[in-house]
Amino acid sequence: NKMLNRLIIQGRILKEIELKTSENGTDYVTFNLAWSEKYGEKQQSCFLKCMAYRHNATFLEKFFDKGDIIIAEGKLTTEKYEDHGQEKWVTQLLVDKLHFPGIKKTQADNEEKDEDEEVLPF
């Protein structure tokens, strides 16, 4: 039985996208998305590691910068690795679709920030 594993998330890119190439010649990028959620008066910042390959990687590197808002779709993956002899796990979004959210930066945006922009920690 296959379980459903699909995530669609909108967030801000935390740092500049750096295109890398694997040993077998595949382009890829790793990046973090951030967003905030508000519960009553309490606000929590959330972060998610993401990875994209091939055309999605080059698309990200070409069109998006640090601080930009993006919508990413894909599946959650968990990988095991060793760090100084200790077994560790990392969960990340393996991106297979990317979307512009339709939000443009304008002078008006700088003067009147929407609710989401006010609650983000950067």
Short mmCIF file of all heavy atoms in Angstrom, two decimals, residues 45-105:
data_model
loop_
_atom_site.label_atom_id
_atom_site.label_comp_id
_atom_site.label_asym_id
_atom_site.label_seq_id
_atom_site.Cartn_x
_atom_site.Cartn_y
_atom_site.Cartn_z
N SER A 45 7.76 30.79 14.46
CA SER A 45 8.45 30.72 13.18
C SER A 45 8.74 29.26 12.86
O SER A 45 9.16 28.50 13.74
CB SER A 45 9.75 31.51 13.23
OG SER A 45 9.47 32.87 13.41
N CYS A 46 8.54 28.87 11.61
CA CYS A 46 8.75 27.50 11.18
C CYS A 46 9.76 27.49 10.03
O CYS A 46 9.81 28.43 9.24
CB CYS A 46 7.43 26.90 10.70
SG CYS A 46 6.11 26.97 11.92
N PHE A 47 10.52 26.41 9.95
CA PHE A 47 11.56 26.29 8.94
C PHE A 47 11.54 24.88 8.36
O PHE A 47 11.28 23.92 9.08
CB PHE A 47 12.95 26.55 9.56
CG PHE A 47 13.03 27.86 10.28
CD1 PHE A 47 12.74 27.94 11.63
CD2 PHE A 47 13.36 29.02 9.60
CE1 PHE A 47 12.79 29.15 12.31
CE2 PHE A 47 13.43 30.24 10.27
CZ PHE A 47 13.14 30.30 11.61
N LEU A 48 11.84 24.77 7.06
CA LEU A 48 11.88 23.46 6.42
C LEU A 48 13.03 23.41 5.43
O LEU A 48 13.17 24.28 4.57
CB LEU A 48 10.56 23.19 5.68
CG LEU A 48 10.45 21.84 4.97
CD1 LEU A 48 10.54 20.67 5.95
CD2 LEU A 48 9.15 21.77 4.19
N LYS A 49 13.86 22.37 5.56
CA LYS A 49 14.93 22.14 4.59
C LYS A 49 14.30 21.62 3.30
O LYS A 49 13.37 20.82 3.34
CB LYS A 49 15.91 21.07 5.11
CG LYS A 49 16.82 21.51 6.21
CD LYS A 49 17.71 20.34 6.59
CE LYS A 49 19.06 20.74 7.08
NZ LYS A 49 19.83 21.65 6.33
N CYS A 50 14.83 22.07 2.16
CA CYS A 50 14.32 21.66 0.86
C CYS A 50 15.48 21.32 -0.07
O CYS A 50 16.58 21.84 0.09
CB CYS A 50 13.51 22.79 0.22
SG CYS A 50 12.11 23.36 1.20
N MET A 51 15.20 20.45 -1.03
CA MET A 51 16.18 20.10 -2.04
C MET A 51 15.47 20.00 -3.39
O MET A 51 14.35 19.47 -3.45
CB MET A 51 16.86 18.77 -1.72
CG MET A 51 17.89 18.36 -2.77
SD MET A 51 18.80 16.89 -2.27
CE MET A 51 20.15 17.69 -1.41
N ALA A 52 16.09 20.53 -4.43
CA ALA A 52 15.53 20.45 -5.79
C ALA A 52 16.63 20.04 -6.75
O ALA A 52 17.80 20.39 -6.56
CB ALA A 52 14.95 21.80 -6.19
N TYR A 53 16.24 19.28 -7.77
CA TYR A 53 17.19 18.76 -8.77
C TYR A 53 16.88 19.29 -10.16
O TYR A 53 15.79 19.78 -10.43
CB TYR A 53 17.11 17.23 -8.82
CG TYR A 53 17.66 16.55 -7.61
CD1 TYR A 53 16.82 16.12 -6.59
CD2 TYR A 53 19.02 16.33 -7.46
CE1 TYR A 53 17.31 15.48 -5.46
CE2 TYR A 53 19.54 15.69 -6.35
CZ TYR A 53 18.67 15.26 -5.36
OH TYR A 53 19.18 14.65 -4.25
N ARG A 54 17.86 19.16 -11.03
CA ARG A 54 17.76 19.41 -12.47
C ARG A 54 17.10 20.75 -12.80
O ARG A 54 17.54 21.78 -12.35
CB ARG A 54 17.05 18.23 -13.15
CG ARG A 54 17.83 16.92 -13.01
CD ARG A 54 17.07 15.73 -13.56
NE ARG A 54 17.71 14.49 -13.19
CZ ARG A 54 17.52 13.86 -12.01
NH1 ARG A 54 16.71 14.36 -11.11
NH2 ARG A 54 18.16 12.75 -11.74
N HIS A 55 16.01 20.73 -13.62
CA HIS A 55 15.40 21.98 -14.08
C HIS A 55 14.83 22.81 -12.93
O HIS A 55 14.83 24.02 -12.98
CB HIS A 55 14.33 21.71 -15.15
CG HIS A 55 13.14 20.97 -14.65
ND1 HIS A 55 13.14 19.60 -14.48
CD2 HIS A 55 11.93 21.42 -14.26
CE1 HIS A 55 11.97 19.24 -14.01
NE2 HIS A 55 11.20 20.30 -13.88
N ASN A 56 14.35 22.15 -11.87
CA ASN A 56 13.85 22.91 -10.71
C ASN A 56 15.00 23.64 -10.01
O ASN A 56 14.83 24.77 -9.54
CB ASN A 56 13.14 21.99 -9.71
CG ASN A 56 11.77 21.57 -10.20
OD1 ASN A 56 11.05 22.36 -10.79
ND2 ASN A 56 11.43 20.32 -9.97
N ALA A 57 16.16 23.03 -9.97
CA ALA A 57 17.33 23.65 -9.35
C ALA A 57 17.78 24.87 -10.15
O ALA A 57 18.03 25.94 -9.59
CB ALA A 57 18.47 22.64 -9.23
N THR A 58 17.86 24.73 -11.46
CA THR A 58 18.31 25.86 -12.28
C THR A 58 17.26 26.97 -12.30
O THR A 58 17.60 28.15 -12.34
CB THR A 58 18.65 25.41 -13.72
OG1 THR A 58 17.55 24.71 -14.28
CG2 THR A 58 19.87 24.48 -13.72
N PHE A 59 15.98 26.62 -12.26
CA PHE A 59 14.89 27.59 -12.19
C PHE A 59 15.00 28.43 -10.91
O PHE A 59 14.91 29.66 -10.94
CB PHE A 59 13.54 26.85 -12.23
CG PHE A 59 12.34 27.73 -12.10
CD1 PHE A 59 11.89 28.49 -13.18
CD2 PHE A 59 11.63 27.78 -10.91
CE1 PHE A 59 10.76 29.29 -13.06
CE2 PHE A 59 10.50 28.57 -10.79
CZ PHE A 59 10.06 29.32 -11.87
N LEU A 60 15.23 27.76 -9.79
CA LEU A 60 15.38 28.46 -8.51
C LEU A 60 16.57 29.41 -8.54
O LEU A 60 16.47 30.56 -8.13
CB LEU A 60 15.58 27.45 -7.37
CG LEU A 60 14.32 26.92 -6.73
CD1 LEU A 60 14.62 25.65 -5.95
CD2 LEU A 60 13.71 27.97 -5.82
N GLU A 61 17.70 28.91 -9.03
CA GLU A 61 18.92 29.71 -9.05
C GLU A 61 18.77 30.93 -9.95
O GLU A 61 19.26 32.01 -9.64
CB GLU A 61 20.09 28.82 -9.52
CG GLU A 61 21.45 29.43 -9.29
CD GLU A 61 21.97 30.12 -10.55
OE1 GLU A 61 21.46 29.85 -11.65
OE2 GLU A 61 22.89 30.95 -10.41
N LYS A 62 18.03 30.79 -11.04
CA LYS A 62 17.88 31.87 -12.01
C LYS A 62 16.88 32.94 -11.57
O LYS A 62 17.11 34.13 -11.77
CB LYS A 62 17.45 31.28 -13.36
CG LYS A 62 17.39 32.29 -14.47
CD LYS A 62 17.12 31.61 -15.80
CE LYS A 62 17.12 32.62 -16.93
NZ LYS A 62 16.91 32.01 -18.24
N PHE A 63 15.76 32.54 -10.97
CA PHE A 63 14.66 33.47 -10.74
C PHE A 63 14.43 33.89 -9.29
O PHE A 63 13.64 34.80 -9.04
CB PHE A 63 13.36 32.89 -11.29
CG PHE A 63 13.35 32.79 -12.79
CD1 PHE A 63 13.47 31.56 -13.41
CD2 PHE A 63 13.25 33.92 -13.58
CE1 PHE A 63 13.47 31.46 -14.80
CE2 PHE A 63 13.25 33.84 -14.96
CZ PHE A 63 13.36 32.60 -15.57
N PHE A 64 15.05 33.25 -8.32
CA PHE A 64 14.75 33.55 -6.92
C PHE A 64 15.99 33.94 -6.13
O PHE A 64 17.07 33.42 -6.36
CB PHE A 64 14.07 32.35 -6.24
CG PHE A 64 12.68 32.11 -6.76
CD1 PHE A 64 12.47 31.24 -7.81
CD2 PHE A 64 11.60 32.78 -6.22
CE1 PHE A 64 11.18 31.03 -8.29
CE2 PHE A 64 10.32 32.58 -6.70
CZ PHE A 64 10.11 31.70 -7.74
N ASP A 65 15.79 34.85 -5.18
CA ASP A 65 16.85 35.35 -4.32
C ASP A 65 16.45 35.19 -2.85
O ASP A 65 15.29 34.91 -2.53
CB ASP A 65 17.11 36.84 -4.58
CG ASP A 65 17.64 37.10 -5.98
OD1 ASP A 65 18.55 36.37 -6.40
OD2 ASP A 65 17.13 38.02 -6.65
N LYS A 66 17.39 35.45 -1.98
CA LYS A 66 17.14 35.46 -0.55
C LYS A 66 15.99 36.40 -0.23
O LYS A 66 15.92 37.52 -0.74
CB LYS A 66 18.41 35.93 0.17
CG LYS A 66 18.25 36.07 1.66
CD LYS A 66 19.54 36.59 2.27
CE LYS A 66 19.36 36.82 3.76
NZ LYS A 66 20.59 37.29 4.38
N GLY A 67 15.05 35.94 0.59
CA GLY A 67 13.92 36.76 1.00
C GLY A 67 12.70 36.63 0.11
O GLY A 67 11.61 37.07 0.49
N ASP A 68 12.86 36.06 -1.09
CA ASP A 68 11.71 35.91 -1.99
C ASP A 68 10.73 34.87 -1.46
O ASP A 68 11.12 33.88 -0.82
CB ASP A 68 12.17 35.47 -3.39
CG ASP A 68 12.82 36.60 -4.17
OD1 ASP A 68 12.73 37.76 -3.74
OD2 ASP A 68 13.41 36.31 -5.23
N ILE A 69 9.46 35.09 -1.77
CA ILE A 69 8.41 34.14 -1.40
C ILE A 69 8.23 33.18 -2.57
O ILE A 69 8.21 33.58 -3.73
CB ILE A 69 7.10 34.87 -1.09
CG1 ILE A 69 7.28 35.77 0.12
CG2 ILE A 69 5.97 33.86 -0.84
CD1 ILE A 69 6.10 36.67 0.41
N ILE A 70 8.08 31.90 -2.24
CA ILE A 70 7.91 30.86 -3.25
C ILE A 70 6.92 29.83 -2.75
O ILE A 70 6.75 29.65 -1.53
CB ILE A 70 9.28 30.21 -3.58
CG1 ILE A 70 9.19 29.34 -4.82
CG2 ILE A 70 9.82 29.44 -2.40
CD1 ILE A 70 10.52 28.92 -5.36
N ILE A 71 6.26 29.15 -3.68
CA ILE A 71 5.42 28.00 -3.34
C ILE A 71 6.13 26.78 -3.88
O ILE A 71 6.46 26.72 -5.07
CB ILE A 71 4.01 28.13 -3.94
CG1 ILE A 71 3.30 29.36 -3.38
CG2 ILE A 71 3.20 26.86 -3.67
CD1 ILE A 71 1.99 29.70 -4.05
N ALA A 72 6.38 25.81 -3.01
CA ALA A 72 7.08 24.59 -3.39
C ALA A 72 6.19 23.38 -3.13
O ALA A 72 5.49 23.32 -2.12
CB ALA A 72 8.39 24.45 -2.60
N GLU A 73 6.23 22.43 -4.06
CA GLU A 73 5.47 21.19 -3.92
C GLU A 73 6.44 20.02 -3.99
O GLU A 73 7.43 20.07 -4.70
CB GLU A 73 4.47 21.01 -5.06
CG GLU A 73 3.31 21.92 -5.07
CD GLU A 73 2.31 21.52 -6.15
OE1 GLU A 73 1.90 20.33 -6.17
OE2 GLU A 73 1.96 22.38 -6.96
N GLY A 74 6.11 18.97 -3.27
CA GLY A 74 6.93 17.77 -3.35
C GLY A 74 6.55 16.77 -2.27
O GLY A 74 5.43 16.79 -1.76
N LYS A 75 7.52 15.92 -1.94
CA LYS A 75 7.27 14.92 -0.90
C LYS A 75 8.32 15.04 0.19
O LYS A 75 9.45 15.45 -0.06
CB LYS A 75 7.24 13.51 -1.49
CG LYS A 75 8.57 13.03 -2.03
CD LYS A 75 8.43 11.61 -2.55
CE LYS A 75 9.78 11.09 -3.01
NZ LYS A 75 9.72 9.68 -3.39
N LEU A 76 7.91 14.69 1.40
CA LEU A 76 8.85 14.70 2.52
C LEU A 76 9.69 13.44 2.47
O LEU A 76 9.18 12.34 2.22
CB LEU A 76 8.10 14.75 3.85
CG LEU A 76 7.52 16.11 4.23
CD1 LEU A 76 6.81 16.00 5.57
CD2 LEU A 76 8.58 17.18 4.29
N THR A 77 10.99 13.61 2.66
CA THR A 77 11.91 12.47 2.72
C THR A 77 12.72 12.55 4.01
O THR A 77 12.91 13.64 4.55
CB THR A 77 12.88 12.47 1.51
OG1 THR A 77 13.68 13.66 1.56
CG2 THR A 77 12.14 12.39 0.20
N THR A 78 13.15 11.43 4.49
CA THR A 78 14.02 11.38 5.67
C THR A 78 15.24 10.56 5.31
O THR A 78 15.13 9.46 4.79
CB THR A 78 13.28 10.73 6.86
OG1 THR A 78 12.08 11.47 7.12
CG2 THR A 78 14.14 10.75 8.11
N GLU A 79 16.41 11.15 5.56
CA GLU A 79 17.66 10.47 5.26
C GLU A 79 18.50 10.35 6.52
O GLU A 79 18.49 11.23 7.38
CB GLU A 79 18.44 11.24 4.20
CG GLU A 79 17.75 11.26 2.86
CD GLU A 79 18.56 12.00 1.81
OE1 GLU A 79 19.75 12.28 2.04
OE2 GLU A 79 17.98 12.29 0.75
N LYS A 80 19.24 9.26 6.58
CA LYS A 80 20.13 9.01 7.70
C LYS A 80 21.56 9.33 7.29
O LYS A 80 21.96 9.07 6.15
CB LYS A 80 20.02 7.54 8.12
CG LYS A 80 20.92 7.14 9.28
CD LYS A 80 20.63 5.75 9.77
CE LYS A 80 21.12 4.71 8.79
NZ LYS A 80 21.11 3.34 9.35
N TYR A 81 22.31 9.92 8.21
CA TYR A 81 23.73 10.17 7.96
C TYR A 81 24.49 10.07 9.28
O TYR A 81 23.89 10.02 10.36
CB TYR A 81 23.94 11.53 7.29
CG TYR A 81 23.61 12.73 8.16
CD1 TYR A 81 24.61 13.40 8.86
CD2 TYR A 81 22.30 13.18 8.30
CE1 TYR A 81 24.31 14.50 9.65
CE2 TYR A 81 21.99 14.27 9.09
CZ TYR A 81 23.00 14.93 9.75
OH TYR A 81 22.70 16.01 10.55
N GLU A 82 25.82 10.01 9.18
CA GLU A 82 26.64 9.94 10.39
C GLU A 82 27.38 11.24 10.58
O GLU A 82 27.90 11.83 9.64
CB GLU A 82 27.65 8.79 10.30
CG GLU A 82 27.07 7.50 10.82
CD GLU A 82 28.14 6.47 11.15
OE1 GLU A 82 29.23 6.85 11.62
OE2 GLU A 82 27.87 5.29 10.93
N ASP A 83 27.42 11.71 11.83
CA ASP A 83 28.13 12.93 12.18
C ASP A 83 28.98 12.63 13.40
O ASP A 83 28.46 12.41 14.49
CB ASP A 83 27.12 14.05 12.46
CG ASP A 83 27.79 15.37 12.78
OD1 ASP A 83 28.93 15.59 12.31
OD2 ASP A 83 27.18 16.18 13.51
N HIS A 84 30.29 12.59 13.18
CA HIS A 84 31.24 12.26 14.25
C HIS A 84 30.84 10.97 14.98
O HIS A 84 30.81 10.91 16.20
CB HIS A 84 31.35 13.42 15.25
CG HIS A 84 31.88 14.67 14.64
ND1 HIS A 84 31.06 15.65 14.14
CD2 HIS A 84 33.14 15.09 14.40
CE1 HIS A 84 31.78 16.64 13.65
NE2 HIS A 84 33.06 16.32 13.78
N GLY A 85 30.50 9.95 14.19
CA GLY A 85 30.17 8.65 14.75
C GLY A 85 28.75 8.53 15.29
O GLY A 85 28.35 7.46 15.73
N GLN A 86 27.99 9.61 15.26
CA GLN A 86 26.61 9.56 15.74
C GLN A 86 25.65 9.49 14.56
O GLN A 86 25.81 10.22 13.58
CB GLN A 86 26.27 10.80 16.55
CG GLN A 86 26.65 10.70 18.01
CD GLN A 86 25.93 11.80 18.80
OE1 GLN A 86 25.73 12.90 18.31
NE2 GLN A 86 25.55 11.50 20.03
N GLU A 87 24.65 8.61 14.68
CA GLU A 87 23.63 8.48 13.65
C GLU A 87 22.62 9.63 13.79
O GLU A 87 22.09 9.87 14.86
CB GLU A 87 22.92 7.14 13.85
CG GLU A 87 22.04 6.73 12.73
CD GLU A 87 21.44 5.36 12.98
OE1 GLU A 87 22.09 4.36 12.61
OE2 GLU A 87 20.35 5.30 13.54
N LYS A 88 22.39 10.35 12.68
CA LYS A 88 21.44 11.47 12.70
C LYS A 88 20.49 11.32 11.53
O LYS A 88 20.79 10.65 10.55
CB LYS A 88 22.17 12.81 12.61
CG LYS A 88 23.05 13.07 13.82
CD LYS A 88 23.48 14.49 13.87
CE LYS A 88 24.24 14.74 15.17
NZ LYS A 88 24.57 16.12 15.35
N TRP A 89 19.35 11.97 11.65
CA TRP A 89 18.31 11.93 10.62
C TRP A 89 17.95 13.35 10.22
O TRP A 89 17.90 14.24 11.06
CB TRP A 89 17.06 11.23 11.15
CG TRP A 89 17.31 9.81 11.52
CD1 TRP A 89 17.80 9.34 12.71
CD2 TRP A 89 17.10 8.66 10.71
NE1 TRP A 89 17.90 7.97 12.68
CE2 TRP A 89 17.47 7.53 11.46
CE3 TRP A 89 16.63 8.48 9.40
CZ2 TRP A 89 17.38 6.24 10.95
CZ3 TRP A 89 16.53 7.19 8.91
CH2 TRP A 89 16.92 6.09 9.67
N VAL A 90 17.68 13.57 8.93
CA VAL A 90 17.23 14.86 8.46
C VAL A 90 15.97 14.65 7.60
O VAL A 90 15.94 13.76 6.76
CB VAL A 90 18.32 15.62 7.67
CG1 VAL A 90 18.75 14.86 6.44
CG2 VAL A 90 17.86 17.01 7.30
N THR A 91 14.95 15.44 7.88
CA THR A 91 13.72 15.41 7.09
C THR A 91 13.71 16.66 6.22
O THR A 91 13.99 17.76 6.70
CB THR A 91 12.48 15.38 8.00
OG1 THR A 91 12.53 14.18 8.79
CG2 THR A 91 11.20 15.38 7.19
N GLN A 92 13.41 16.49 4.94
CA GLN A 92 13.40 17.62 4.03
C GLN A 92 12.34 17.42 2.95
O GLN A 92 11.85 16.31 2.75
CB GLN A 92 14.77 17.83 3.40
CG GLN A 92 15.25 16.70 2.54
CD GLN A 92 16.67 16.89 2.05
OE1 GLN A 92 17.33 17.86 2.41
NE2 GLN A 92 17.15 16.00 1.23
N LEU A 93 12.01 18.51 2.28
CA LEU A 93 11.07 18.47 1.17
C LEU A 93 11.85 18.25 -0.12
O LEU A 93 12.74 19.04 -0.45
CB LEU A 93 10.29 19.79 1.09
CG LEU A 93 9.33 19.94 -0.08
CD1 LEU A 93 8.20 18.92 0.01
CD2 LEU A 93 8.76 21.35 -0.14
N LEU A 94 11.54 17.18 -0.83
CA LEU A 94 12.12 16.92 -2.13
C LEU A 94 11.18 17.57 -3.15
O LEU A 94 10.08 17.09 -3.41
CB LEU A 94 12.25 15.42 -2.38
CG LEU A 94 12.89 15.00 -3.69
CD1 LEU A 94 14.27 15.63 -3.87
CD2 LEU A 94 13.00 13.49 -3.76
N VAL A 95 11.60 18.71 -3.69
CA VAL A 95 10.74 19.56 -4.51
C VAL A 95 10.63 19.01 -5.93
O VAL A 95 11.63 18.71 -6.57
CB VAL A 95 11.31 21.00 -4.57
CG1 VAL A 95 10.49 21.88 -5.48
CG2 VAL A 95 11.38 21.59 -3.16
N ASP A 96 9.38 18.91 -6.43
CA ASP A 96 9.20 18.53 -7.82
C ASP A 96 8.41 19.57 -8.63
O ASP A 96 8.33 19.48 -9.84
CB ASP A 96 8.57 17.14 -7.97
CG ASP A 96 7.23 17.00 -7.27
OD1 ASP A 96 6.46 17.97 -7.23
OD2 ASP A 96 6.95 15.90 -6.77
N LYS A 97 7.82 20.57 -7.94
CA LYS A 97 7.13 21.67 -8.64
C LYS A 97 7.37 22.96 -7.87
O LYS A 97 7.37 22.97 -6.65
CB LYS A 97 5.62 21.42 -8.71
CG LYS A 97 5.21 20.34 -9.67
CD LYS A 97 3.70 20.25 -9.74
CE LYS A 97 3.29 19.10 -10.65
NZ LYS A 97 1.84 18.93 -10.68
N LEU A 98 7.53 24.05 -8.63
CA LEU A 98 7.74 25.37 -8.04
C LEU A 98 6.78 26.37 -8.67
O LEU A 98 6.46 26.26 -9.85
CB LEU A 98 9.17 25.83 -8.28
CG LEU A 98 10.24 25.01 -7.60
CD1 LEU A 98 11.59 25.26 -8.23
CD2 LEU A 98 10.28 25.34 -6.12
N HIS A 99 6.32 27.32 -7.87
CA HIS A 99 5.37 28.32 -8.36
C HIS A 99 5.74 29.70 -7.84
O HIS A 99 6.16 29.84 -6.69
CB HIS A 99 3.95 28.01 -7.89
CG HIS A 99 3.51 26.61 -8.16
ND1 HIS A 99 3.02 26.21 -9.38
CD2 HIS A 99 3.49 25.51 -7.36
CE1 HIS A 99 2.71 24.92 -9.31
NE2 HIS A 99 2.99 24.48 -8.11
N PHE A 100 5.55 30.71 -8.69
CA PHE A 100 5.58 32.09 -8.23
C PHE A 100 4.27 32.34 -7.49
O PHE A 100 3.21 31.98 -8.01
CB PHE A 100 5.67 33.06 -9.42
CG PHE A 100 6.98 33.06 -10.13
CD1 PHE A 100 7.13 32.38 -11.33
CD2 PHE A 100 8.06 33.75 -9.62
CE1 PHE A 100 8.34 32.38 -12.00
CE2 PHE A 100 9.28 33.76 -10.29
CZ PHE A 100 9.41 33.08 -11.48
N PRO A 101 4.29 32.94 -6.32
CA PRO A 101 3.05 33.16 -5.57
C PRO A 101 2.23 34.33 -6.07
O PRO A 101 1.15 34.60 -5.56
CB PRO A 101 3.52 33.39 -4.14
CG PRO A 101 4.89 33.96 -4.30
CD PRO A 101 5.46 33.34 -5.54
N GLY A 102 2.72 35.09 -7.04
CA GLY A 102 1.96 36.22 -7.55
C GLY A 102 2.11 37.46 -6.71
O GLY A 102 1.35 38.41 -6.84
N ILE A 103 3.10 37.47 -5.81
CA ILE A 103 3.35 38.63 -4.96
C ILE A 103 4.53 39.38 -5.54
O ILE A 103 5.61 38.83 -5.69
CB ILE A 103 3.64 38.20 -3.51
CG1 ILE A 103 2.44 37.45 -2.95
CG2 ILE A 103 4.02 39.40 -2.66
CD1 ILE A 103 2.73 36.77 -1.62
N LYS A 104 4.34 40.64 -5.89
CA LYS A 104 5.42 41.45 -6.45
C LYS A 104 5.86 42.49 -5.43
O LYS A 104 5.04 43.03 -4.70
CB LYS A 104 4.97 42.13 -7.73
CG LYS A 104 4.65 41.17 -8.85
CD LYS A 104 4.54 41.91 -10.14
CE LYS A 104 4.05 41.02 -11.25
NZ LYS A 104 5.04 40.32 -11.95
N LYS A 105 7.14 42.74 -5.39
CA LYS A 105 7.67 43.77 -4.51
C LYS A 105 7.49 45.13 -5.18
O LYS A 105 8.00 45.35 -6.28
CB LYS A 105 9.15 43.53 -4.22
CG LYS A 105 9.42 42.29 -3.41
CD LYS A 105 10.90 42.13 -3.22
CE LYS A 105 11.21 40.84 -2.48
NZ LYS A 105 12.62 40.59 -2.38
#
